[in-house]
Amino acid sequence: MDAGGPVTAFGDALVYLNDPFNWTRTGGILDLLVQHLRISALAVLLAAVLAIPIGVLLGRSGGGAGAIVVLSNVSRAVPTLALLTVLAVTPLGFSETGTVLALAAFAVPPMVTNTFVGFREVDRDVREAARAMGMSSRQMLTRVEFPLALPLVTTGVRTAAVQVVATATLAALVGGGTLGRIINLGFGQQDHGTMLAGAVLVAALALLTELLLVVLSAAVTPGPRRWPVRRVRTERAGEPEPTSSGVPL
């Protein structure tokens, strides 16, 4: 590629993204975005329905740490594209169902791991105090353990969701939709501008997903709000972190 290649690719990408026809036409960016979000949301929801109860059961029982480690390692070893390809040659064929199942399988391990760790790290003294107050096992789960484990549970969901949004682009390689189709189209036509436009859209969607889930996690987590950006900024400035009353410690 010549020296002007990257500049030309960025220019072509901007032209592609600024063309209203590319957004509104049938099978355009908006249609692919809706499909991308639908597939990702279904995959994350299915994974959460399966993974969170398993993590809760293992975390409350105190066992299964070895199984969690094995599950986490296996999930990293199995390529998502390979799983998509395998499901594509089953009776499911080139369907959204196969893509959702493959992405859900990819999202389960981080949710199980974080939920397991969150419940396992609930202080034993807190559990004993809850029992002493006459709480049933169900009350302990809903009123004590789950609120305390919620930060790690939501972290697992957020990690899985961002990974799913980014990985859903691979569905285009096995005949699926999603924003990956733009990248695949650009690759097939050797159009670097179109490829870059698709990559920018996927990256922006993943970042927006991360930001949205960080805000949602902070909103549902009990206790004072601790925004990571504010804390890092305070630490870098070398200033003491203020208390709830506004007086520095």
Side-chain angles (χ1 to χ4, degrees):
M1 183 179 294
D2 57 6
V7 176
T8 302
F10 276 104
D12 291 344
L14 288 175
V15 170
Y16 183 92
L17 294 174
N18 285 322
D19 187 347
F21 178 73
N22 290 330
W23 288 82
T24 57
R25 63 182 171 83
T26 302
I29 295 174
L30 290 179
D31 285 349
L32 294 175
L33 176 61
V34 170
Q35 188 177 20
H36 196 119
L37 290 173
R38 181 174 65 249
I39 289 174
S40 299
L42 289 174
V44 172
L45 180 61
L46 177 59
V49 169
L50 296 174
I52 292 179
I54 294 174
V56 171
L57 290 174
L58 293 176
R60 298 190 79 196
S61 67
I68 294 296
V69 172
V70 171
L71 178 64
S72 179
N73 290 336
V74 168
S75 69
R76 294 189 182 97
V78 177
T80 307
L81 181 58
L83 187 55
L84 283 168
T85 305
V86 169
L87 291 175
V89 298
T90 65
L92 293 174
F94 297 101
S95 65
E96 283 191 11
T97 302
T99 301
V100 168
L101 290 177
L103 293 174
F106 182 62
V108 163
M111 291 191 193
V112 172
T113 302
N114 279 58
T115 303
F116 168 77
V117 173
F119 275 83
R120 191 180 65 174
E121 291 188 353
V122 173
D123 196 324
R124 183 176 299 178
D125 292 338
V126 174
R127 287 194 175 101
E128 293 298 330
R131 290 193 187 97
M133 293 172 62
M135 286 189 179
S136 65
S137 178
R138 183 174 181 177
Q139 288 174 325
M140 285 179 56
L141 172 63
T142 57
R143 298 183 183 180
V144 178
E145 294 174 318
F146 196 80
L148 292 175
L150 190 57
L152 277 175
V153 175
T154 55
T155 298
V157 174
R158 186 174 77 244
T159 300
V162 174
Q163 290 178 348
V164 165
V165 167
T167 309
T169 57
L170 295 176
L173 298 178
V174 290
T178 74
L179 293 171
R181 182 174 294 177
I182 299 174
I183 301 175
N184 198 30
L185 176 65
F187 184 80
Q189 297 177 346
Q190 289 298 298
D191 186 341
H192 297 134
T194 302
M195 291 171 58
L196 184 58
V200 168
L201 289 169
V202 173
L205 183 59
L207 289 174
L208 287 174
T209 301
E210 172 78 14
L211 178 60
L212 176 63
L213 292 180
V214 165
V215 174
L216 182 61
S217 176
V220 301
T221 300
R225 302 290 178 260
R226 294 184 176 273
W227 300 101
V229 174
R230 181 180 178 183
R231 183 165 58 249
V232 170
R233 185 180 301 167
T234 301
E235 291 173 355
R236 287 182 178 177
E239 299 175 357
E241 188 172 347
T243 62
S244 58
S245 62
V247 179
L249 294 176

